[in-house]
Protein backbone atom coordinates (compact mmCIF):
# COMPACT_ATOMS: atom_id res chain seq x y z
CA UNK A 1 0.00 0.00 0.00
CA UNK A 2 1.23 3.55 -0.71
CA UNK A 3 2.70 5.30 2.33
CA UNK A 4 2.42 8.82 0.93
CA UNK A 5 -0.40 10.63 -0.81
CA UNK A 6 -0.21 13.75 -2.93
CA UNK A 7 -3.35 15.78 -3.57
CA UNK A 8 -4.14 19.29 -4.74
CA UNK A 9 -6.04 22.14 -3.16
CA UNK A 10 -6.03 24.68 -5.96
CA UNK A 11 -2.43 25.86 -6.33
CA UNK A 12 -1.37 24.06 -3.14
CA UNK A 13 0.03 20.52 -3.20
CA UNK A 14 -0.77 18.55 -0.04
CA UNK A 15 1.76 15.82 0.76
CA UNK A 16 0.56 13.41 3.45
CA UNK A 17 2.48 10.77 5.38
CA UNK A 18 -0.04 7.96 5.23
CA UNK A 19 1.35 4.99 7.14
CA UNK A 20 -0.31 5.42 10.56
CA UNK A 21 -0.24 5.05 13.46
CA UNK A 22 3.50 5.78 13.59
CA UNK A 23 4.26 6.90 10.01
CA UNK A 24 7.67 5.26 10.15
CA UNK A 25 10.00 6.34 7.35
CA UNK A 26 11.76 3.59 5.42
CA UNK A 27 12.82 2.83 1.87
CA UNK A 28 9.23 2.50 0.51
CA UNK A 29 8.11 5.89 1.84
CA UNK A 30 11.36 7.54 0.79
CA UNK A 31 11.05 6.16 -2.74
CA UNK A 32 7.54 7.61 -2.89
CA UNK A 33 8.91 10.93 -1.63
CA UNK A 34 11.32 11.10 -4.58
CA UNK A 35 8.42 10.56 -6.98
CA UNK A 36 6.30 13.13 -5.12
CA UNK A 37 9.03 15.76 -5.41
CA UNK A 38 9.18 15.18 -9.16
CA UNK A 39 5.40 15.50 -9.42
CA UNK A 40 5.31 18.68 -7.32
CA UNK A 41 8.05 20.21 -9.43
CA UNK A 42 6.30 19.47 -12.72
CA UNK A 43 2.74 20.15 -11.56
CA UNK A 44 2.81 23.94 -11.34
CA UNK A 45 1.99 23.88 -7.62
CA UNK A 46 2.87 27.19 -5.98
CA UNK A 47 3.04 26.00 -2.37
CA UNK A 48 3.19 22.68 -0.49
CA UNK A 49 1.72 21.53 2.80
CA UNK A 50 3.37 18.56 4.52
CA UNK A 51 1.07 16.75 6.96
CA UNK A 52 0.37 13.28 8.36
CA UNK A 53 -2.51 10.92 8.97
CA UNK A 54 -3.03 9.26 12.33
CA UNK A 55 -2.47 10.37 15.93
CA UNK A 56 1.17 11.35 15.40
CA UNK A 57 3.20 13.04 12.68
CA UNK A 58 5.99 10.45 12.70
CA UNK A 59 7.96 8.33 15.14
CA UNK A 60 10.97 8.52 12.79
CA UNK A 61 12.85 5.91 10.86
CA UNK A 62 11.74 2.33 10.34
CA UNK A 63 14.59 0.82 12.37
CA UNK A 64 13.57 -2.85 12.11
CA UNK A 65 15.40 -3.50 8.79
CA UNK A 66 18.59 -1.94 10.16
CA UNK A 67 19.46 -4.84 12.44
CA UNK A 68 21.93 -7.24 10.85
CA UNK A 69 22.69 -5.05 7.84
CA UNK A 70 26.32 -4.33 7.14
CA UNK A 71 27.50 -0.74 7.23
CA UNK A 72 27.72 -0.44 3.43
CA UNK A 73 24.06 -1.44 2.97
CA UNK A 74 22.97 0.88 5.77
CA UNK A 75 24.92 3.75 4.26
CA UNK A 76 23.30 3.18 0.87
CA UNK A 77 19.86 3.41 2.50
CA UNK A 78 20.72 6.54 4.45
CA UNK A 79 22.19 8.20 1.37
CA UNK A 80 18.89 7.53 -0.42
CA UNK A 81 17.00 9.08 2.49
CA UNK A 82 19.26 12.14 2.58
CA UNK A 83 19.01 12.72 -1.18
CA UNK A 84 15.23 12.49 -1.03
CA UNK A 85 14.91 14.77 2.00
CA UNK A 86 17.28 17.33 0.47
CA UNK A 87 15.40 17.25 -2.84
CA UNK A 88 12.21 18.00 -0.91
CA UNK A 89 13.98 20.81 0.93
CA UNK A 90 15.09 22.31 -2.39
CA UNK A 91 11.62 22.43 -3.97
CA UNK A 92 11.45 25.99 -5.24
CA UNK A 93 8.01 26.82 -3.82
CA UNK A 94 7.26 27.48 -0.13
CA UNK A 95 6.75 24.35 1.98
CA UNK A 96 4.65 24.53 5.14
CA UNK A 97 4.67 21.66 7.64
CA UNK A 98 1.62 20.90 9.80
CA UNK A 99 2.82 18.82 12.75
CA UNK A 100 0.70 17.15 15.38
CA UNK A 101 1.41 14.59 18.08
CA UNK A 102 4.89 13.10 18.21
CA UNK A 103 7.49 14.26 15.68
CA UNK A 104 10.66 12.30 16.32
CA UNK A 105 13.84 11.23 14.57
CA UNK A 106 13.57 11.13 10.81
CA UNK A 107 10.07 12.59 11.00
CA UNK A 108 11.48 15.63 12.77
CA UNK A 109 14.27 15.82 10.20
CA UNK A 110 11.70 15.77 7.40
CA UNK A 111 9.62 18.51 9.05
CA UNK A 112 12.78 20.61 9.34
CA UNK A 113 12.95 20.67 5.53
CA UNK A 114 9.85 22.88 5.52
CA UNK A 115 10.23 26.64 5.22
CA UNK A 116 7.50 27.34 7.77
CA UNK A 117 6.48 24.96 10.53
CA UNK A 118 3.05 25.01 12.20
CA UNK A 119 2.59 22.81 15.27
CA UNK A 120 -0.36 21.77 17.34
CA UNK A 121 -0.29 22.75 21.01
CA UNK A 122 0.33 19.16 22.14
CA UNK A 123 2.99 18.40 19.51
CA UNK A 124 6.36 17.21 20.79
CA UNK A 125 9.66 17.03 18.97
CA UNK A 126 12.80 15.04 19.64
CA UNK A 127 15.96 13.27 18.53
CA UNK A 128 15.73 9.70 19.91
CA UNK A 129 18.95 8.66 18.17
CA UNK A 130 20.99 9.09 21.36
CA UNK A 131 18.97 6.27 22.94
CA UNK A 132 20.18 3.98 20.11
CA UNK A 133 23.82 5.03 20.38
CA UNK A 134 23.77 6.82 17.02
CA UNK A 135 23.31 10.39 15.75
CA UNK A 136 20.81 12.36 13.68
CA UNK A 137 21.58 10.76 10.33
CA UNK A 138 19.58 13.05 8.06
CA UNK A 139 20.91 16.42 9.10
CA UNK A 140 18.66 17.06 12.07
CA UNK A 141 21.11 18.48 14.57
CA UNK A 142 22.63 21.08 12.28
CA UNK A 143 19.26 22.12 10.87
CA UNK A 144 18.02 22.69 14.41
CA UNK A 145 21.21 24.65 15.08
CA UNK A 146 20.52 26.84 12.04
CA UNK A 147 17.18 27.80 13.58
CA UNK A 148 17.78 27.66 17.34
CA UNK A 149 21.56 27.93 17.76
CA UNK A 150 24.26 25.44 18.68
CA UNK A 151 23.53 25.31 22.41
CA UNK A 152 19.88 24.25 22.08
CA UNK A 153 20.65 21.83 19.25
CA UNK A 154 23.34 20.09 21.27
CA UNK A 155 21.26 19.90 24.43
CA UNK A 156 18.30 18.32 22.64
CA UNK A 157 20.51 15.85 20.77
CA UNK A 158 22.30 14.83 23.97
CA UNK A 159 19.17 14.18 26.01
CA UNK A 160 16.65 12.85 23.45
CA UNK A 161 13.96 14.43 25.60
CA UNK A 162 10.66 15.30 23.89
CA UNK A 163 10.45 19.07 23.50
CA UNK A 164 7.00 20.73 23.59
CA UNK A 165 5.85 22.80 20.64
CA UNK A 166 5.81 25.99 22.72
CA UNK A 167 9.49 25.59 23.61
CA UNK A 168 10.35 24.88 19.98
CA UNK A 169 8.52 28.05 18.99
CA UNK A 170 10.35 30.10 21.63
CA UNK A 171 13.64 28.77 20.23
CA UNK A 172 12.73 29.58 16.64
CA UNK A 173 12.35 26.04 15.31
CA UNK A 174 8.54 26.25 15.07
CA UNK A 175 6.92 29.31 13.49
CA UNK A 176 3.44 29.05 14.97
CA UNK A 177 1.69 26.99 17.64
CA UNK A 178 -2.05 26.60 17.14
CA UNK A 179 -4.81 24.47 18.67
CA UNK A 180 -4.37 20.81 17.74
CA UNK A 181 -7.60 20.60 15.80
CA UNK A 182 -6.65 23.63 13.69
CA UNK A 183 -3.06 22.85 12.73
CA UNK A 184 -3.74 21.56 9.22
CA UNK A 185 -6.38 24.20 8.48
CA UNK A 186 -4.05 26.99 9.62
CA UNK A 187 -1.13 25.62 7.59
CA UNK A 188 -3.33 25.22 4.51
CA UNK A 189 -4.69 28.75 4.85
CA UNK A 190 -1.15 30.10 5.05
CA UNK A 191 -0.11 28.01 2.02
CA UNK A 192 -3.08 29.29 0.02
CA UNK A 193 -2.03 32.84 0.84
CA UNK A 194 1.60 32.44 -0.20
CA UNK A 195 0.49 30.53 -3.32
CA UNK A 196 -1.14 33.76 -4.48
CA UNK A 197 2.15 35.61 -4.10
CA UNK A 198 5.14 36.11 -6.42
CA UNK A 199 6.19 32.48 -6.78
CA UNK A 200 9.47 33.20 -8.52
CA UNK A 201 10.45 35.71 -5.84
CA UNK A 202 9.68 33.09 -3.19
CA UNK A 203 12.09 30.73 -4.99
CA UNK A 204 14.84 33.35 -4.87
CA UNK A 205 14.34 33.90 -1.15
CA UNK A 206 14.67 30.15 -0.60
CA UNK A 207 17.84 30.04 -2.70
CA UNK A 208 19.36 32.98 -0.83
CA UNK A 209 18.69 31.38 2.54
CA UNK A 210 20.22 28.09 1.38
CA UNK A 211 23.31 29.96 0.21
CA UNK A 212 23.50 31.83 3.52
CA UNK A 213 23.31 28.56 5.47
CA UNK A 214 26.25 27.17 3.51
CA UNK A 215 28.47 30.22 3.25
CA UNK A 216 27.07 32.98 5.42
CA UNK A 217 26.13 36.54 4.57
CA UNK A 218 29.08 37.14 2.26
CA UNK A 219 28.20 34.12 0.12
CA UNK A 220 24.56 35.19 -0.12
CA UNK A 221 25.64 38.69 -1.15
CA UNK A 222 27.78 37.19 -3.91
CA UNK A 223 24.77 35.55 -5.59
CA UNK A 224 22.18 38.16 -4.60
CA UNK A 225 21.96 40.05 -7.89
CA UNK A 226 22.46 36.99 -10.09
CA UNK A 227 19.34 35.53 -8.50
CA UNK A 228 17.27 38.65 -7.97
CA UNK A 229 17.73 40.83 -11.05
CA UNK A 230 15.89 38.44 -13.44
CA UNK A 231 12.79 39.02 -11.29
CA UNK A 232 12.46 42.50 -12.79
CA UNK A 233 11.68 40.84 -16.13
CA UNK A 234 8.78 38.81 -14.73
CA UNK A 235 5.16 39.69 -15.24
CA UNK A 236 4.57 39.66 -11.49
CA UNK A 237 7.28 42.23 -10.79
CA UNK A 238 6.22 44.46 -13.68
CA UNK A 239 2.62 44.51 -12.46
CA UNK A 240 3.67 44.95 -8.85
CA UNK A 241 5.99 47.84 -9.58
CA UNK A 242 3.52 49.58 -11.90
CA UNK A 243 0.68 49.33 -9.37
CA UNK A 244 2.90 50.61 -6.54
CA UNK A 245 4.05 53.60 -8.60
CA UNK A 246 0.50 54.42 -9.65
CA UNK A 247 -0.69 54.28 -6.04
CA UNK A 248 2.20 56.47 -4.91
CA UNK A 249 1.54 59.09 -7.57
CA UNK A 250 -2.17 59.11 -6.74
CA UNK A 251 -1.52 59.36 -3.01
CA UNK A 252 -3.38 56.09 -2.46
CA UNK A 253 -2.48 53.00 -0.40
CA UNK A 254 -0.63 50.37 -2.35
CA UNK A 255 -3.11 47.70 -3.57
CA UNK A 256 -2.77 44.08 -2.56
CA UNK A 257 -2.17 42.04 -5.70
CA UNK A 258 -2.82 38.43 -6.51
CA UNK A 259 0.20 37.38 -8.56
CA UNK A 260 0.30 34.93 -11.45
CA UNK A 261 3.53 33.27 -10.37
CA UNK A 262 5.17 34.23 -13.67
Amino acid sequence: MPQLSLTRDGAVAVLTLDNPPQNRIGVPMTTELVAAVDEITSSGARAVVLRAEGPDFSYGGDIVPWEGQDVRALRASFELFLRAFNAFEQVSVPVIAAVHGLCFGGGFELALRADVLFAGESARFGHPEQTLGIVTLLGGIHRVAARAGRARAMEWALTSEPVPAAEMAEAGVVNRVVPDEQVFAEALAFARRVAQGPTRAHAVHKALLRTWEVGGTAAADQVLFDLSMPLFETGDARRGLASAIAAYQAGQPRPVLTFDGQ
Side-chain angles (χ1 to χ4, degrees):
M1 295 291 292
Q3 297 185 5
L4 286 179
S5 66
L6 183 63
T7 58
R8 284 291 290 268
D9 180 288
V12 178
V14 180
L15 181 63
T16 303
L17 309 186
D18 197 6
N19 188 30
Q22 296 188 1
N23 289 313
R24 292 276 182 176
I25 300 170
V27 172
M29 184 181 287
T30 305
T31 302
E32 292 178 38
L33 177 60
V34 172
V37 168
D38 288 342
E39 187 172 344
I40 290 168
T41 301
S42 63
S43 69
R46 296 173 63 189
V48 180
V49 173
L50 172 68
R51 62 176 297 273
E53 288 288 351
D56 297 294
F57 184 82
S58 175
Y59 273 52
D62 181 6
I63 64 174
V64 174
W66 300 0
E67 188 174 23
Q69 287 196 51
D70 65 41
V71 171
R72 287 176 297 180
L74 281 170
R75 176 167 179 159
S77 294
F78 296 142
E79 287 178 342
L80 167 66
F81 299 160
L82 186 62
R83 286 194 301 271
F85 279 34
N86 287 354
F88 182 59
E89 184 175 44
Q90 292 168 17
V91 167
S92 64
V93 298
V95 176
I96 297 89
V99 174
H100 67 282
L102 302 182
C103 183
F104 287 172
F108 186 16
E109 291 174 297
L110 181 60
L112 285 167
R113 264 57 180 197
D115 302 298
V116 177
L117 205 163
F118 283 66
E121 291 172 333
S122 66
R124 290 177 290 161
F125 301 80
H127 300 299
E129 290 84 2
Q130 175 280 135
T131 65
L132 302 175
I134 59 174
V135 301
T136 57
L137 292 163
L138 302 179
I141 187 171
H142 40 276
R143 282 173 173 80
V144 169
R147 298 182 182 215
R150 184 186 187 281
R152 289 280 183 91
M154 191 64 180
E155 177 186 349
W156 292 332
L158 287 173
T159 63
S160 291
E161 294 177 356
V163 182
E167 185 175 347
M168 281 290 179
E170 184 274 331
V173 177
V174 167
N175 292 78
R176 301 188 189 182
V177 179
V178 300
D180 291 329
E181 66 275 10
Q182 296 178 20
V183 62
F184 173 60
E186 292 278 354
L188 182 59
F190 184 85
R192 287 170 175 162
R193 192 175 96 194
V194 299
Q196 295 178 347
T199 303
R200 290 181 60 181
H202 293 333
V204 170
H205 273 140
K206 289 189 66 163
L208 287 170
L209 284 172
R210 285 198 303 270
T211 304
W212 168 77
E213 284 190 329
V214 172
T217 300
D221 281 347
Q222 285 294 313
V223 301
L224 175 59
F225 294 130
D226 290 338
L227 295 175
S228 63
M229 295 312 295
L231 293 174
F232 283 89
E233 299 177 333
T234 66
D236 280 348
R238 286 171 175 164
R239 287 199 308 116
L241 189 58
S243 69
I245 291 171
Y248 169 73
Q249 292 175 336
Q252 299 294 324
R254 186 178 301 176
V256 177
L257 299 183
T258 297
F259 292 96
D260 298 326
Q262 302 296 326

